[in-house]
Amino acid sequence: MMRKKRRPSAGKGEGATSTTKAKKSRSTAPKSKEPAPEETNERVFGVFLREAGVTLKQAGTSNEIAVDQIVFQKRLQKQLQKSPRYPGIVQEFAAGLESHIEDPERFRNCLLPCVPRLSDGNSDNVSSFQESLLRMLLGIEMLQTVIINTLLEKLPEFMFDGAGDGGLNIPHTIINQFKWLDRVMDSKELAAKLMELVSVAPVEVQRDIISSLPEILEDSQHNDIAKELNSLLQENTQITVPILDALSSLNLSSSILTEVRGAVMVTLAAVQLEDLPVVVKFILHSVSASDAYEVVRDLRKKLELEQCVLPLVLQASQSLIKSKGSAGSASAPSAGSSQDSVTLILDGIKSAVRFQKTISEAWLKAIESVDEEEDHKVLDLLVLFILHSTNANQSRRGAERVLKVKVRSGFIQEVLLQRTFRDYAQVMRGYFPSILALAQSLLRSPDPCVVPFGGHMYRHSFTAFDSYCQQEVVGSLVTHVCSGVGGEVDMALELLCGLVTEKHSEMALYAVFVKGILDYMDNLTPQQIRRLFHLLSSLAFGQQQQQGSHIQDDMHIVIRKQLSSTVPKYKRIGIIGAVRIVGSMGAARLKGKESKNVSLPQETLRHVTALLELVKSSIESSPEAAALYYDELSNLMLSSTLDPQVQENIGKCVIDDFQVDFVADLGPEMSGSFPLTPCVMYDLEGQGNIAINLLPLLANDIKTKGEQHSQTTKAHKRVSPLGLCPFFRLLRVCEHRLHQGDLDEIDGLLGCPLILTDMDVMEKMESRSKAEREFLCTLLFYTINWFREVINAFCEQKETEMKMKVMTRLQNITYLQTLLERALAVTPGFVPPVANFDGESTDGVTLSSAAPVSKAKKDGAGKKRKAPAKISSESGSQLDEATEAEKTQQEQPEKEVRHSVSLVPYRPYFRELDMEVLNVLQCGLLSCSLLDSELHTKVREEVLLGPAELVFLLEDMHRKLEFSLTAAPAKRTPFFKGRADKSLGFSHLQQRSPKDIASYCVQLLPALCSHLENCHNHFQTMMSENNGIVDGPATDVQEHNLMSSGYQLLLQVLNTTLSWSGFSQPGQRSLLKKALGVLAVRLKETQLQVPGEPPRHDAKSQRGLVSLPASVHCVGERRRPCCLQRADGFPRETIPRPRLGHSQRREGTREQIQ
C-alpha cells in the first residue's frame, strides 16, 4: 500500500509520459492490450534518463544533456534508489539499455559524448565537454557491473568490423569507456573478462585491450595481470609492443619485474625492428641500481643493429636499381624506416641515461669490459656518442675516457668507425656536435696512439654529412693547424690534404677558410709550410682550377711579398711556396684510362716559367736562399711527377752551371792567395784532370763576405760553397729523371778529387791563428757534406765498381770526422756553415766555447780512417801515403786522442743521408776488422765495411727510426721556449710515411740479423780466448768499445723497428708477420747443425732476441766499465780499422764530367 502511494512521487512527469506513451502504443498497436516487457524496460530506461537530464536522440544526432554530468549521475542514482521497485528497477534499467543499444546507430550515439542542451539560453550549469552516456552510467556504482557486462557482451559483435564510415572504431571506443573510472567495483572480474577477450580477439583489439589495462585496473591487480601478460608475451610476439607498454605502466614488484624483463630479453632476437625501440625502452626503464650493469651488458650483447639495418638498406637499393619506378619507390621507405627505428632505439637509450645515473655508468662499464676487437659493435660507438651528447651525470668525460682507452688498446679501430658512418649516417647526423668535439679531443691528445682515430672521425664526418657539417669540419681543422702544436698541426694538415685529394670539388668551396692559415705561418715548421702550400696550390692551381681560382691572386700576392722580403725566414717561406705552386701548376696531366700524358697548356707553362724566373731573381744575392731553392726543386722532382716540359726547363742549364761554378781543371800550379796551402785530395779516379774547387771557393766566399760588410752597395750573384751540395743534388735528380735513372753523365763526380789542404796542418792546430782554424773547420764540414751527398747520389748503383767507390767515400767520412773532432776542440766558438737550409740551423743548438768535454758526438763513428792522398800522378802513391798517415795516427799518445769534441750538437750542420744509403748495410760484418759480403754480382770482390762505418750507418738509421717510428707525445709549446726544431736534418725523411720507413727496415732485417750474429760471435770468441772473461788482459779496449757500440745499436734498431705502434693497425699486420718471419727463419737456421762442425755460438744469441729492451740495457751496462764514456754513451777513442788495399782496387775506366 505504501509503495503504491509513493510511486507517483518518483516524478511528476513520469505518469504523464507513460500515459502518453501508452496512448501512442495503443494507437499504433491496437491488438496488444499491454506493452511488451522489452518496451516497458526501454520506456523505464528513457524516462529515468530524461528525468535525470539526458534526452535520447535518434540516429545521426548526439544525445543531449541538460545538466552537468555529475548532477546527472546523482539524480539518476537517487531516482533508482527511491524507486518502489528497487533493486529490481536496476535490472529493468539495464534491460532497457540493452534494448536501446540493439540498434547500432543508437549504440554509437551512446558511445559518443553527449552535447549540452541550451534551450533556455543559459549555459552556466552545463560544461562544454560531457562524457558519453555509457561512460556516465559506468560512474554509477549500482549500475557499473551490469553496464560492464553489457558492453563486454556487445564487444564481440564489432571485433572484425574495424572503423566505420565516420572513422569510429567501435571496439576501441568501448574499451575507452572503462578507462580512468573513479572506482571499479569488481576489478578482478573485469581483468579476467578482459583477458578472456584477449585470447579470442584479433590482433588490433588485443593491442587496444592490453595497452588500456594500466588505465582500467587497480593497483592490486597489477602483479597478477603482469604474470598473464608475461605468459602471453612468450606466446605471441605480434603484441609485444602493447604488452611492454602496459607492463612499463604497471606498478610491479621487483621479482615480477625481473621475471618479465628476463622473458623479454630472451625474445629480443625475434622482435621486429619496428618493435625494438619499445623493447629497449622497457628494459632500460625497468632496471634498478643493483642489476643495471648485468641488464645493460646482456642488452648490449643481444642488440644487433647491424643485422637489422644493413639488409634493409641493401634491399631498398637493389629494388630501386631494378625497378627505377614505383616498385622501387615502394620498397625504398624500408631503409628510411629502419633508420627511423634505430633513431628511436637511440632516443630510448638517450632518455634512460639522461634520467638514470646508474644506466649511464652501466653502459660505460659494459663497453669498457669488452676485451676483444671483434666483440665491439656499432652500438658501442653510438652509445658513446649518446653519452657524450647528453652529459648526464658527467657522462661526457666518461665517454671520452672510454673511447680513448679503447682506441689506444686497438679494440675500436677505423674499420668499425667506417662501418658506423656508412650505415648510420642519417642517425649520426643528430650527434654531429659530439662527434666533432670527440674528434677535436682525440686530435689534441698527447697520446699519439689516439690521434689518427680523431683524424678518421673528421674525414668520415666530412664525407658522410651535409655542407654545414663539412664547413664545421674544415673550420675545426684550420683551428688545429693554427694551434702551433706539432703533432696536432701535422695531422690536421694531412687530413686537409687528403680531403683535397678525395673531395676536391667539395673542399674548393671552403678554400677561403684554408687560406686563413697563411696568417699563422710563423708557428709552422718548414715541412708543415710545404704541406700548407701543397694544399693551397692544389686548390688554386690544380687540374680543376675553376673551382679554386678565387684564391689564385691571393696566393701570387703572398708569394711575391715573401720573396721580396729581406728577412731570411720569410724569404724561405716564399721559396717553399713558389716551388709548391710550380709543382701543382706543372704537374703531369693524365687523360683517359690509358693514362697517357697530356701536354701542358702553353699559358700554364708560361706562368710556371715566369714563377721560376721570379724565384731565381730573388735569390741571386743570397747563397742560403739559392741553396734552399735547389733543395726544394730536388724534393719536388723526387716526390712529384712533373710535365716533361717543366722538367726540361728546370734541368736544361744545371750541368753546365755546375761545371762552371764548382769544377776546376787541374794544372801544375794553383794561382791565388789562400789561408792554407791547397792540394788535391781523395782522388779515386787515379789520373783525373778535374776536381771540386772547394778550397778556392771557400777562400773567395770569405773574401766576398768581407767586402760586402765593408760596402753598402747591393751584392750581385756570387758562387758560394754553400750551394755545392744542394746544386749537386738537383743535378743528380735532373739526370735521374731525364735519363730514367741512368747517372752515367755524372758518375765521374763520385771518384772526383777535391781541392783541399794537406791534413798535416792538424798536427799544429794550436799554433794556427783563429781565422786559419775556423777556415779548416769550415773546409772539413764542406768536405764531409760533399761526400755525404755523393753517397746519397750513387748508393743505389748496381755496378761493383760504383759500390766500392761508395764504400771508400764512407770511409773518408768516418776519417774526416775524427779530424773534425780534433779541430773543433781547439776552435772554441766556431759556428759551422749551414747544411740544411729550410730552417735556422743555430736554433736550439748549444755549441760549447770552452771545455771540449762538454760536447757530445755527432756520429759516434768518428774513428781514424784512411789518410788523404797528396797531389800525385799514380794511385799507388796515394795509397802508400794513406797507410803511413794511418800508422802515424795510431801511434799518437792517448792524451792527444782525447782532445776532441763530440759531433752530436753539430748534427744540424751535416747533410741528411737518404734512406737508400742504408743499403750499404747489406755488406756483412764477419769479424771486428773484416767484412766479407756477396755483392749480388757474378764477380766476387772483397769489399770492406769496417766497424766504424757500420756504427756510423747504424747511428744514422737509429736516429731516423727514432724520429719516424717512435711516437712522441704532442706537447704544447711553453711560453719561454728554446726554438729547437727537432725535425731539422730530416727533411727528406719527412717526405716518407712511417709505413714506408717500416717496410724498408723490414727489408733490411736479414742484414741486421747477420751483423747481430757476427757481433755476438765476436764476443763469444773473445770470451773463449780469455777464459770466459770479456774484458780480459789481452782485450783491445778500443776494439771492444767499438764492437759494443755496434752491438748496442743493432739491438736498439731492432727494438725501435719492432716496437712501432703502426703494427697494431689492421693494414700493417702483414708487415709485422713478415718481420717476425725473418726473425723466425734466422732462429730456425741457428738450430740446424752440420755434423762434424763445432757448436755455433749463434744458438746462444737466440736468448738476446727474447726481450730487445732488456738486451739493450744489458749491453749498455756491459760496456760501462770497459771504456771512457761520452755524453751520448759511445766511446771517444779512435780505433784503427782495415783500409782498402791494392788487392782490392780494380782496373777500370775513370769517368769524368763530360
Side-chain angles (χ1 to χ4, degrees):
M1 295 294 295
M2 293 177 64
R3 291 167 62 184
K4 289 182 180 180
K5 291 180 180 178
R6 286 181 178 179
R7 281 186 71 182
S9 64
K12 294 182 181 180
E14 182 181 353
T17 304
S18 60
T19 304
T20 304
K21 286 187 176 182
K23 291 180 180 179
K24 290 181 180 180
S25 175
R26 285 194 298 269
S27 63
T28 55
K31 292 185 179 180
S32 55
K33 297 181 179 180
E34 61 182 15
E38 294 79 2
E39 294 179 356
T40 303
N41 293 337
E42 186 176 353
R43 187 164 56 249
V44 171
F45 171 72
V47 171
F48 272 75
L49 291 181
R50 190 161 39 251
E51 291 181 355
V54 173
T55 303
L56 298 175
K57 294 295 184 179
Q58 298 300 321
T61 306
S62 300
N63 297 328
E64 296 180 352
I65 182 170
V67 296
D68 193 76
Q69 59 187 22
I70 301 299
V71 177
F72 166 76
Q73 290 174 339
K74 290 183 178 180
R75 284 184 181 181
L76 182 58
Q77 184 175 3
K78 187 176 180 181
Q79 290 177 8
L80 293 174
Q81 289 176 345
K82 292 183 178 181
S83 174
R85 300 197 299 274
Y86 182 80
I89 191 63
V90 175
Q91 297 298 328
E92 295 179 13
F93 185 86
L97 172 63
E98 293 178 3
S99 300
H100 180 75
I101 63 177
E102 284 182 357
D103 183 4
E105 291 299 327
R106 287 188 291 183
F107 181 44
R108 180 177 178 275
N109 284 348
C110 293
L111 292 173
L112 296 176
C114 298
V115 297
R117 183 176 60 188
L118 304 176
S119 58
D120 55 356
N122 184 8
S123 60
D124 295 340
N125 297 328
V126 183
S127 174
S128 60
F129 175 78
Q130 301 292 332
E131 298 283 0
S132 67
L133 175 60
L134 291 174
R135 173 77 177 178
M136 291 187 290
L137 294 180
L138 285 171
I140 302 175
E141 294 180 359
M142 65 177 62
L143 296 176
Q144 185 182 90
T145 304
V146 179
I147 302 299
I148 287 175
N149 294 334
T150 301
L151 290 177
L152 293 179
E153 291 174 358
K154 197 74 175 175
L155 181 60
E157 299 179 12
F158 302 93
M159 277 186 178
F160 302 96
D161 291 350
D165 296 337
L168 180 66
N169 190 324
I170 299 297
H172 179 74
T173 309
I174 293 175
I175 296 170
N176 284 342
Q177 309 301 310
F178 303 135
K179 294 181 179 180
W180 305 115
L181 295 176
D182 293 337
R183 181 184 178 189
V184 179
M185 301 302 296
D186 193 352
S187 178
K188 187 175 182 179
E189 182 67 19
L190 176 58
K193 291 182 178 180
L194 288 175
M195 294 308 296
E196 289 180 4
L197 280 175
V198 169
S199 62
V200 298
V203 175
E204 292 299 328
V205 178
Q206 287 179 338
R207 292 175 177 172
D208 287 335
I209 296 175
I210 293 173
S211 60
S212 303
L213 287 176
E215 302 163 356
I216 296 175
L217 303 180
E218 294 182 349
D219 291 352
S220 59
Q221 300 296 319
H222 285 186
N223 286 332
D224 296 335
I225 203 68
K227 294 180 180 179
E228 296 189 36
L229 291 177
N230 187 21
S231 302
L232 188 62
L233 177 65
Q234 301 177 27
E235 298 173 0
N236 188 357
T237 58
Q238 291 182 326
I239 52 177
T240 299
V241 173
I243 290 178
L244 295 181
D245 279 336
L247 290 173
S248 61
S249 302
L250 297 177
N251 185 17
L252 304 179
S253 63
S254 59
S255 59
I256 296 295
L257 195 59
T258 303
E259 181 182 351
V260 172
R261 188 175 58 238
V264 172
M265 197 74 76
V266 171
T267 61
L268 187 64
V271 175
Q272 296 293 327
L273 177 61
E274 57 270 15
D275 296 340
L276 269 179
V278 179
V279 175
V280 172
K281 182 179 179 181
F282 170 78
I283 293 174
L284 292 178
H285 283 270
S286 63
V287 300
S288 60
S290 59
D291 59 0
Y293 170 67
E294 289 78 8
V295 173
V296 170
R297 181 190 60 192
D298 294 342
L299 176 62
R300 182 200 159 277
K301 289 182 179 179
K302 296 183 179 180
L303 190 58
E304 299 289 346
L305 295 183
E306 296 92 333
Q307 298 180 2
C308 298
V309 176
L310 187 57
L312 294 174
V313 176
L314 292 178
Q315 291 173 9
S317 61
Q318 291 173 359
S319 60
L320 284 172
I321 293 174
K322 290 181 180 179
S323 59
K324 296 182 181 180
S326 59
S329 61
S331 61
S334 63
S337 62
S338 65
Q339 294 282 340
D340 294 340
S341 298
V342 174
T343 303
L344 293 175
I345 293 173
L346 299 182
D347 287 343
I349 297 175
K350 184 176 181 180
S351 174
V353 302
R354 175 176 292 173
F355 299 109
Q356 299 183 58
K357 181 179 180 180
T358 55
I359 298 296
S360 60
E361 293 175 349
W363 272 111
L364 288 174
K365 189 176 180 181
I367 296 174
E368 199 169 6
S369 63
V370 181
D371 55 0
E372 293 293 339
E373 175 191 348
E374 56 271 12
D375 292 338
H376 274 289
K377 305 178 178 180
V378 169
L379 179 64
D380 296 336
L381 278 177
L382 295 176
V383 170
L384 289 177
F385 295 151
I386 290 173
L387 293 173
H388 190 277
S389 64
T390 58
N391 196 27
N393 305 309
Q394 303 298 321
S395 62
R396 178 172 299 171
R397 184 176 301 175
E400 185 176 322
R401 176 186 59 82
V402 171
L403 181 60
K404 287 182 179 179
V405 169
K406 290 297 180 180
V407 172
R408 185 184 303 112
S409 58
F411 294 151
I412 293 182
Q413 297 190 0
E414 195 263 342
V415 177
L416 180 64
L417 183 69
Q418 180 181 4
R419 191 164 68 244
T420 307
F421 272 93
R422 181 191 63 199
D423 300 335
Y424 303 92
Q426 177 183 340
V427 178
M428 296 177 67
R429 175 59 180 85
Y431 302 100
F432 173 71
S434 291
I435 296 173
L436 190 64
L438 283 171
Q440 291 173 349
S441 177
L442 293 176
L443 209 66
R444 289 172 178 159
S445 173
D447 187 352
C449 298
V450 304
V451 172
F453 194 84
H456 295 319
M457 294 179 69
Y458 272 122
R459 181 166 54 85
H460 290 300
S461 297
F462 186 91
T463 305
F465 295 149
D466 52 25
S467 59
Y468 168 78
C469 298
Q470 291 177 343
Q471 178 176 322
E472 291 295 315
V473 167
V474 174
S476 182
L477 290 175
V478 170
T479 303
H480 285 300
V481 175
C482 300
S483 67
V485 183
E488 187 177 340
V489 175
D490 291 335
M491 180 57 69
L493 285 173
E494 182 179 347
L495 288 170
L496 288 171
C497 292
L499 291 176
V500 169
T501 303
E502 298 175 8
K503 302 286 182 179
H504 188 279
S505 58
E506 289 87 344
M507 279 295 296
L509 302 175
Y510 314 107
V512 176
F513 292 91
V514 182
K515 190 194 67 168
I517 306 176
L518 293 174
D519 299 331
Y520 297 87
M521 286 191 296
D522 288 346
N523 299 326
L524 303 182
T525 64
Q527 178 62 18
Q528 292 167 352
I529 293 175
R530 289 188 189 97
R531 285 191 175 183
L532 173 60
F533 277 105
H534 172 72
L535 168 66
L536 290 171
S537 60
S538 298
L539 287 173
F541 303 99
Q543 297 187 17
Q544 302 177 5
Q545 296 185 15
Q546 315 84 305
Q547 299 175 349
S549 58
H550 56 283
I551 65 171
Q552 290 183 2
D553 294 339
D554 295 332
M555 294 286 293
H556 282 298
I557 292 173
V558 170
I559 294 301
R560 289 180 178 272
K561 179 180 178 181
Q562 303 286 8
L563 288 175
S564 61
S565 174
T566 57
V567 180
K569 177 178 180 179
Y570 298 122
K571 185 177 286 288
R572 285 197 299 268
I573 293 175
I575 293 172
I576 293 173
V579 171
R580 290 295 151 179
I581 292 178
V582 168
S584 296
M585 297 178 65
R589 266 82 169 160
L590 301 179
K591 181 178 181 181
K593 298 181 179 179
E594 299 179 358
S595 300
K596 293 184 178 179
N597 288 337
V598 180
S599 60
L600 200 66
Q602 290 301 314
E603 182 70 18
T604 304
L605 182 61
R606 193 158 49 248
H607 285 306
V608 171
T609 305
L611 185 56
L612 290 174
E613 293 297 330
L614 175 65
V615 179
K616 289 180 181 179
S617 64
S618 67
I619 63 174
E620 287 183 349
S621 60
S622 174
E624 292 84 357
L628 175 63
Y629 173 62
Y630 300 146
D631 274 340
E632 290 300 314
L633 277 181
S634 303
N635 293 335
L636 177 66
M637 296 184 69
L638 285 173
S639 59
S640 305
T641 304
L642 298 179
D643 187 86
Q645 300 177 76
V646 177
Q647 291 186 22
E648 184 179 356
N649 191 8
I650 294 174
K652 62 182 178 181
C653 301
V654 172
I655 294 182
D656 295 336
D657 291 346
F658 185 85
Q659 290 189 92
V660 171
D661 293 343
F662 300 107
V663 179
D665 294 329
L666 294 179
E669 294 182 358
M670 297 183 186
S671 59
S673 176
F674 306 108
L676 298 175
T677 303
C679 66
V680 178
M681 311 288 289
Y682 303 105
D683 183 11
L684 300 184
E685 298 296 337
Q687 298 178 353
N689 55 4
I690 60 172
I692 301 299
N693 194 26
L694 189 54
L695 187 142
L697 277 178
L698 178 59
N700 185 50
D701 186 59
I702 294 176
K703 180 180 178 181
T704 306
K705 286 182 180 179
E707 294 176 354
Q708 287 185 357
H709 286 304
S710 61
Q711 299 177 2
T712 57
T713 57
K714 183 178 179 181
H716 297 284
K717 178 183 179 180
R718 74 176 192 267
V719 179
S720 170
L722 282 175
L724 173 62
C725 294
F727 206 158
F728 172 69
R729 183 175 180 83
L730 177 61
L731 170 62
R732 184 257 296 188
V733 173
C734 290
E735 286 295 312
H736 189 275
R737 286 291 188 182
L738 295 176
H739 299 92
Q740 291 76 42
D742 187 4
L743 300 180
D744 289 345
E745 294 291 329
I746 61 171
D747 61 356
L749 291 174
L750 176 58
C752 180
L754 293 85
I755 300 178
L756 303 174
T757 188
D758 192 344
M759 293 305 165
D760 290 341
V761 298
M762 293 295 302
E763 303 300 329
K764 298 180 181 180
M765 279 290 292
E766 294 82 355
S767 61
R768 297 279 181 175
S769 65
K770 180 181 178 181
E772 291 177 340
R773 293 198 303 268
E774 290 185 349
F775 184 87
L776 180 60
C777 290
T778 304
L779 190 65
L780 289 174
F781 269 103
Y782 281 130
T783 306
I784 292 174
N785 284 329
W786 166 255
F787 287 152
R788 292 171 74 101
E789 199 58 61
V790 165
I791 291 175
N792 283 339
F794 297 99
C795 63
E796 293 186 280
Q797 296 300 305
K798 303 301 182 182
E799 296 84 358
T800 303
E801 178 183 358
M802 304 301 290
K803 289 185 177 182
M804 295 184 67
K805 288 183 179 181
V806 169
M807 185 71 66
T808 304
R809 289 309 185 202
L810 189 60
Q811 294 169 352
N812 296 151
I813 291 176
T814 57
Y815 168 68
L816 288 173
Q817 287 185 161
T818 63
L819 300 182
L820 181 60
E821 289 174 343
R822 294 168 52 195
L824 291 173
V826 295
T827 315
F830 169 72
V831 178
V834 181
N836 301 286
F837 304 92
D838 54 358
E840 295 291 346
S841 296
T842 58
D843 284 351
V845 178
T846 303
L847 302 178
S848 175
S849 60
V853 294
S854 65
K855 309 220 173 190
K857 190 173 185 299
K858 189 262 170 204
D859 280 319
K863 309 305 171 187
K864 175 142 183 154
R865 195 55 209 153
K866 189 179 80 170
K870 296 183 179 180
I871 299 179
S872 174
S873 59
E874 295 183 2
S875 60
S877 62
Q878 300 172 15
L879 296 173
D880 292 339
E881 291 169 1
T883 306
E884 294 174 1
E886 186 169 12
K887 291 181 179 179
T888 303
Q889 185 70 19
Q890 295 178 26
E891 296 170 357
Q892 289 181 354
E894 186 179 7
K895 62 180 182 179
E896 288 188 19
V897 175
R898 293 181 181 176
H899 282 288
S900 62
V901 296
S902 174
L903 298 180
V904 170
Y906 297 90
R907 284 173 182 169
Y909 298 96
F910 290 105
R911 294 289 290 181
E912 179 183 359
L913 290 177
D914 294 337
M915 284 291 294
E916 289 74 16
V917 175
L918 299 177
N919 286 328
V920 181
L921 287 171
Q922 294 179 353
C923 299
L925 175 66
L926 300 182
S927 68
C928 67
S929 59
L930 183 61
L931 297 173
D932 293 335
S933 174
E934 177 65 35
L935 294 180
H936 309 290
T937 60
K938 296 182 179 180
V939 180
R940 180 180 180 85
E941 297 200 23
E942 190 175 1
V943 178
L944 304 178
L945 180 65
E949 288 77 32
L950 175 64
V951 172
F952 173 79
L953 293 174
L954 290 176
E955 281 185 330
D956 185 77
M957 182 178 185
H958 183 243
R959 286 197 304 274
K960 285 179 166 58
L961 298 185
E962 286 286 333
F963 180 81
S964 300
L965 301 187
T966 302
K971 296 181 179 179
R972 295 195 173 273
T973 306
F975 184 75
F976 296 104
K977 67 168 185 174
R979 294 177 54 84
D981 186 4
K982 295 182 179 180
S983 65
L984 194 63
F986 295 104
S987 298
H988 306 159
L989 193 66
Q990 287 179 305
Q991 308 295 326
R992 296 172 175 262
S993 66
K995 178 184 176 181
D996 295 338
I997 296 172
S999 302
Y1000 192 83
C1001 292
V1002 171
Q1003 294 177 5
L1004 292 177
L1005 272 182
L1008 295 175
C1009 290
S1010 297
H1011 289 301
L1012 185 65
E1013 292 167 0
N1014 292 333
C1015 288
H1016 181 81
N1017 291 342
H1018 166 78
F1019 287 110
Q1020 291 291 331
T1021 303
M1022 289 182 59
M1023 292 178 64
S1024 62
E1025 293 177 354
N1026 292 280
N1027 298 323
I1029 301 176
V1030 178
D1031 52 349
T1035 301
D1036 187 336
V1037 177
Q1038 296 176 345
E1039 178 184 354
H1040 177 87
N1041 292 336
L1042 191 60
M1043 294 301 297
S1044 297
S1045 298
Y1047 205 170
Q1048 184 180 22
L1049 283 168
L1050 284 166
L1051 293 174
Q1052 288 175 336
V1053 166
L1054 291 174
N1055 181 35
T1056 306
T1057 302
L1058 298 178
S1059 301
W1060 179 46
S1061 60
F1063 282 133
S1064 61
Q1065 301 175 3
Q1068 317 302 337
R1069 297 290 176 82
S1070 59
L1071 185 60
L1072 176 61
K1073 185 177 180 181
K1074 180 180 179 181
L1076 296 177
V1078 173
L1079 297 179
V1081 170
R1082 304 293 297 197
L1083 294 176
K1084 185 176 180 181
E1085 288 176 353
T1086 59
Q1087 296 175 356
L1088 300 177
Q1089 300 294 328
V1090 179
E1093 288 189 0
R1096 297 172 57 185
H1097 297 304
D1098 295 354
K1100 299 180 181 179
S1101 65
Q1102 298 179 25
R1103 305 188 191 98
L1105 295 177
V1106 176
S1107 177
L1108 287 177
S1111 301
V1112 173
H1113 177 75
C1114 290
V1115 171
E1117 293 293 331
R1118 179 175 163 186
R1119 294 179 57 244
R1120 287 176 185 168
C1122 301
C1123 63
L1124 296 175
Q1125 296 294 312
R1126 297 195 325 257
D1128 61 349
F1130 295 109
R1132 288 205 304 262
E1133 291 80 4
T1134 57
I1135 305 297
R1137 295 152 310 177
R1139 60 182 179 83
L1140 192 62
H1142 288 282
S1143 62
Q1144 295 152 344
R1145 293 298 300 270
R1146 71 279 168 270
E1147 296 295 329
T1149 59
R1150 270 61 175 174
E1151 291 85 351
Q1152 300 172 355
I1153 297 181
Q1154 302 298 328

